[in-house]
Amino acid sequence: MLIDLSDVSPIANELFRAFKAAGGNALLVGGSVRDALCGKVAKDFDVEVYGLSAAAIEEIFRARQIRYNAAGRSFGVFKLHEAPLDVALPRRESKRGAGHAAFAVEGDPFMPIAEAARRRDFTVNAIYYDPLADEIFDPCGGRKDLERKVLRHVSPAFAEDPLRVLRAMQFAARFRFDVAPETVELCKTIEPENLSRERIFAEWEKLLTKGEEPSRGLNFLRACGWVKYFPELEALIGCRQDPHWHPEGDVWNHTLKALDAFARERVASGDERADAEENLVVGLAVLCHDFGKPATTRRGKDGKIHAYGHDVAGVAPAKKFLLAMTENKKLIEEVLVLVETHMRPRALFTAKSGDAAVRRLAAKVGRLDRLLRVCKADALGSSFHESEDFSETENWLNARAAALAISSSAPVPIILGRHLLSLGIPAGRSFGAILHDCFEAQLDGAFSDEAGGLEFLKKIVAEKYSGAEEKGQGKC
């Protein structure tokens, strides 16, 4: 049996049998069938019910007290609350305007399976499975494309939904599939049609948090011409690098190799779902880390190609790229600081910098472990560094961060406002200056606990801030 309903949900077998008893036929379709054929365990299941109206389906739910949301009652789409099942009628979709959502949808429980399959995106997602009869229906040849590891559009209707181009991008990355030449050619004729940035970002998120070989997705984006809609990324193509350090070629090739290295590390780490948010931050930083090179790349007097300051210069184009896809300010800030500082760990290691420099870097980026993941992907993204041992830098900084207890968090100020108040220092304009001086001293290693911090506080208040109130500098 390809998919055992008892493994899907306690109510799945009962529900499928109820549909059958009422004269219907429930089929699993899409990702769950595709993944099962690839030997993977699915998490969510799409069900199409043939031969029953939307009202009849709802009656079956009510009789069994199954809670659901009617996401599209008019054309029969139901999301169950207690089971990972989305139940729908087979339906027709026709384009009614520009954009991803501009479709008229009509449910038809008596539509032939082959016709229903034609509204799907790729042949590998148009395979149906009857778990009661243990029977597969493959009207579009999806199983052969699975064996060939090919993404192929089901019908010319594919072009009606521009989001499918980005779905091809992330599917190619996730399953290490090639995109069929005819599908690439069709995608060249498709334009974004004002796709919402939320929809666009969702596909990029899947590429980075689920993709096993992101380079496949990005090379498809380049092949079909859609890279032009992401100009900060397109600018990497043909941007030269010093062949000694980067024999892999231009910044585009380097970025793709770095993304693949990031993906290998992410997959090897284990539970990707639990770390999805963390992986998204790091993945975006790896994607954007060299966006500053097109503006800073020069041939120096030594005849070599340099991109001095590309880390800092990369912040502006990375911000523009991210703002085009998301309003999540926290996410953007977390990514940008990694772009800005991705050269710092190696510089600190080379200089054998002290604890103060390590603390200050941790205070800036928030999490050194994140930064090291970006730097490691960057190093492995160079053919030169694949043979060079990056572990020296990694081990050195990890050891220093562990000793200072700042591996996964920024240094926390020891001296706070309450300490100033306890010494009788009134709140005022000097308040913030005193706290700033204390934190700077803490980063420099002047003290490491509350007792030492209080001693330092008393000292600087006596030396620098005594009489400040009388001069009006601490007026509330």
Side-chain angles (χ1 to χ4, degrees):
M1 179 170 287
L2 183 65
I3 299 174
D4 190 334
L5 289 175
S6 62
D7 294 333
V8 174
S9 167
I11 67 170
N13 193 63
E14 177 188 356
L15 194 56
F16 272 65
R17 292 188 182 282
F19 291 145
K20 195 79 171 178
N25 188 27
L27 303 176
L28 292 168
V29 65
S32 61
V33 182
R34 178 200 66 220
D35 289 352
L37 288 169
C38 293
K40 299 180 179 180
V41 178
K43 302 292 184 182
D44 302 295
F45 300 84
D46 289 333
V47 182
E48 282 189 2
V49 181
Y50 292 77
L52 294 178
S53 67
I57 291 174
E58 288 192 273
E59 181 57 35
I60 290 172
F61 290 156
R62 285 193 290 267
R64 286 157 182 77
Q65 297 183 328
I66 295 173
R67 297 170 60 237
Y68 63 94
N69 286 334
R73 181 176 281 105
S74 61
F75 47 89
V77 178
F78 309 98
K79 295 181 178 292
L80 304 195
H81 289 190
E82 284 86 19
L85 296 170
D86 285 356
V87 179
L89 295 179
R91 56 193 186 270
R92 293 184 179 86
E93 297 176 351
S94 55
K95 192 77 166 174
R96 289 292 185 266
H100 167 71
F103 288 89
V105 182
E106 177 187 3
D108 182 355
F110 303 103
M111 180 186 298
I113 292 176
E115 184 180 346
R118 290 181 64 80
R119 72 172 176 80
R120 306 194 72 85
D121 50 10
F122 304 104
T123 61
V124 297
N125 291 334
I127 307 171
Y128 295 75
Y129 177 64
D130 183 343
L132 297 182
D134 190 24
E135 186 176 2
I136 291 175
F137 303 92
D138 184 14
C140 303
R143 295 184 74 178
K144 285 187 177 180
D145 282 339
L146 273 181
E147 293 171 2
R148 298 166 179 155
K149 296 185 178 298
V150 170
L151 280 176
R152 191 187 319 275
H153 64 283
V154 167
S155 75
F158 178 96
E160 294 178 352
D161 184 356
L163 188 67
R164 287 172 169 174
V165 178
L166 296 180
R167 283 175 62 80
M169 173 191 75
Q170 55 101 349
F171 275 135
R174 286 169 61 184
F175 304 113
R176 297 183 175 182
F177 281 10
D178 293 323
V179 182
E182 62 267 32
T183 301
V184 174
E185 290 303 309
L186 180 60
C187 290
K188 289 179 180 180
T189 70
I190 303 172
E191 296 182 356
E193 290 186 5
N194 299 316
L195 280 174
S196 72
R197 58 182 179 179
E198 292 79 15
R199 293 279 189 175
I200 292 172
F201 185 72
E203 301 307 317
W204 280 99
E205 182 175 3
K206 290 172 186 173
L207 173 96
L208 295 170
T209 61
K210 297 182 179 182
E212 294 190 3
E213 197 172 340
S215 60
R216 285 183 180 268
L218 293 183
N219 276 327
F220 159 73
L221 210 64
R222 180 178 179 179
C224 73
W226 266 53
V227 71
K228 68 185 177 185
Y229 299 119
F230 305 95
E232 297 79 19
L233 197 57
E234 184 182 31
L236 306 183
I237 299 172
C239 182
R240 296 177 301 166
Q241 301 183 110
D242 188 305
H244 171 73
W245 295 100
H246 292 283
E248 72 277 5
D250 62 11
V251 183
W252 171 268
N253 286 332
H254 166 66
T255 298
L256 267 55
K257 285 174 66 67
L259 283 169
D260 286 349
F262 154 74
R264 290 194 299 271
E265 180 265 349
R266 192 203 73 234
V267 171
S269 68
D271 190 353
E272 296 181 312
R273 281 199 166 198
D275 298 326
E277 184 176 346
E278 191 67 18
N279 287 330
L280 179 59
V281 173
V282 176
L284 284 170
V286 175
L287 176 65
C288 300
H289 80 281
D290 275 351
F291 277 10
K293 280 189 174 178
T296 58
T297 297
R298 304 284 188 276
R299 187 174 293 277
K301 294 181 180 179
D302 58 1
K304 297 179 179 179
I305 298 171
H306 302 283
Y308 296 127
H310 75 271
D311 43 0
V312 177
V315 172
K319 185 176 183 179
K320 186 177 179 182
F321 174 82
L322 294 170
L323 282 173
M325 294 192 292
T326 180
E327 293 179 343
N328 189 331
K329 292 181 180 179
K330 179 177 179 290
L331 173 66
I332 292 174
E333 290 171 358
E334 289 174 333
V335 172
L336 294 182
V337 74
L338 296 175
V339 171
E340 181 183 353
T341 59
H342 76 270
M343 301 293 289
R344 294 287 300 282
R346 188 177 292 278
L348 293 186
F349 170 71
T350 302
K352 294 297 186 290
S353 301
D355 290 347
V358 176
R359 288 193 196 93
R360 289 183 181 283
L361 181 58
K364 184 174 182 65
V365 302
R367 294 189 57 160
L368 287 175
D369 55 348
R370 272 183 185 170
L371 181 59
L372 275 173
R373 288 181 67 190
V374 176
C375 296
K376 187 171 186 177
D378 182 22
L380 294 175
S382 164
S383 302
F384 179 87
H385 289 302
E386 282 182 340
S387 60
E388 184 187 40
D389 189 6
F390 178 75
S391 63
E392 283 190 273
T393 298
E394 186 178 25
N395 291 340
W396 175 82
L397 190 53
N398 272 329
R400 296 313 315 136
L404 299 170
I406 52 174
S407 297
S408 59
S409 61
V412 177
I414 294 173
I415 297 301
L416 306 172
R418 60 182 175 84
H419 294 111
L420 276 65
L421 293 173
S422 70
L423 294 180
I425 302 171
R429 279 182 290 179
S430 61
F431 217 68
I434 296 172
L435 291 175
H436 175 268
D437 285 351
C438 287
F439 188 52
E440 288 293 309
Q442 176 186 330
L443 294 177
D444 285 336
F447 57 87
S448 59
D449 56 23
E450 188 175 26
L454 287 171
E455 286 299 316
F456 180 84
L457 172 61
K458 293 173 185 177
K459 180 180 178 182
I460 66 163
V461 168
E463 291 180 354
K464 295 181 63 176
Y465 295 98
S466 59
E469 295 300 325
E470 290 81 351
K471 297 176 183 178
Q473 297 175 13
K475 186 177 180 181
C476 296

